Amino acid sequence: MKQILLFLLIVLFSAIIARAEEGDKFTADGLKYKVTTESPNTVELVGFEGVHPSGALVIPAEVNGYSLTCIGRYAFVNCTGLNSVTIPKSVTRISRFAFYGCTGLTIVTIREGVTEIGSMAFYQCSSLTSVTIPKSVTSIEGMTELVSGIFIECTRLTSVTLESNFIVSSGSSMVHIFGNQ
């Protein structure tokens, strides 16, 4: 009996101290995460489980002891019922197509800390009306590509505030950010 109890304690203790390895995936509160190699104890939000998220979503900065550093490609694809998203300051990258097809999305709050926004990150977010890009953003993917942009087909977008010294050198470069509307 003592041996069985000792064995069970060892198994339980091992499960508690075991950490996920790079590429391991897990789900918490309906959102799917993948362990990354960016730095110790970091994860990327890669999607959702089951029903599409809807309403107001505050993405957590930390989940299961891991720091969230990236919103992955297609993480919220076609979440048409999502109307607002708050991205925490732990996130440094919003990947390409992260919010693709979120047609009900009207408000995006990007916290200071995000440094990169991937091309077409908010593609077809047709209800989006205004966005503030914090001064921490130093890279908007696709600024030199003719077919790219981060707000393509965001037909109601009327205001984008750049809080940084991010320089757009010519009017034609705005097409790369907003797409040819």
Side-chain angles (χ1 to χ4, degrees):
M1 183 67 175
K2 287 182 183 181
Q3 289 177 334
I4 293 173
L5 184 57
L6 180 61
F7 175 76
L8 290 174
L9 284 173
I10 290 171
V11 169
L12 179 62
F13 183 70
S14 297
I16 291 172
I17 63 169
R19 296 295 293 174
E21 294 182 19
E22 173 195 354
D24 284 354
K25 294 180 181 177
F26 63 90
T27 301
D29 296 322
L31 299 176
K32 291 182 181 180
Y33 300 90
K34 180 175 78 172
V35 177
T36 70
T37 59
E38 278 182 35
S39 61
N41 303 321
T42 61
V43 291
E44 172 181 352
L45 196 160
V46 294
F48 52 90
E49 177 128 336
V51 178
H52 287 66
S54 61
L57 176 64
V58 177
I59 298 172
E62 188 176 290
V63 60
N64 293 354
Y66 293 94
S67 177
L68 177 65
T69 58
C70 180
I71 308 296
R73 286 185 182 195
Y74 301 102
F76 294 99
V77 65
N78 295 325
C79 289
T80 58
L82 198 58
N83 58 37
S84 73
V85 169
T86 301
I87 299 168
K89 66 181 181 177
S90 65
V91 171
T92 58
R93 177 167 175 72
I94 301 170
S95 296
R96 302 177 88 185
F97 301 104
F99 295 94
Y100 169 56
C102 294
T103 56
L105 190 59
T106 58
I107 300 167
V108 174
T109 304
I110 303 172
R111 300 276 188 228
E112 186 73 30
V114 173
T115 59
E116 298 176 61
I117 301 176
S119 66
M120 298 186 239
F122 298 97
Y123 181 50
Q124 291 184 346
C125 292
S126 56
S127 296
L128 195 58
T129 57
S130 69
V131 174
T132 299
I133 298 176
K135 63 183 173 184
S136 58
V137 173
T138 57
S139 174
I140 296 178
E141 182 183 27
M143 284 294 289
T144 59
E145 299 171 18
L146 293 175
V147 295
S148 189
I150 60 174
F151 297 111
I152 293 175
E153 294 186 32
C154 294
T155 54
R156 293 188 185 144
L157 188 61
T158 57
S159 171
V160 174
T161 304
L162 300 171
E163 292 184 337
S164 70
N165 295 328
F166 196 87
I167 296 171
V168 177
S169 60
S170 70
S172 64
S173 292
M174 294 305 282
V175 171
H176 301 300
I177 297 175
F178 305 108
N180 195 2
Q181 306 282 320

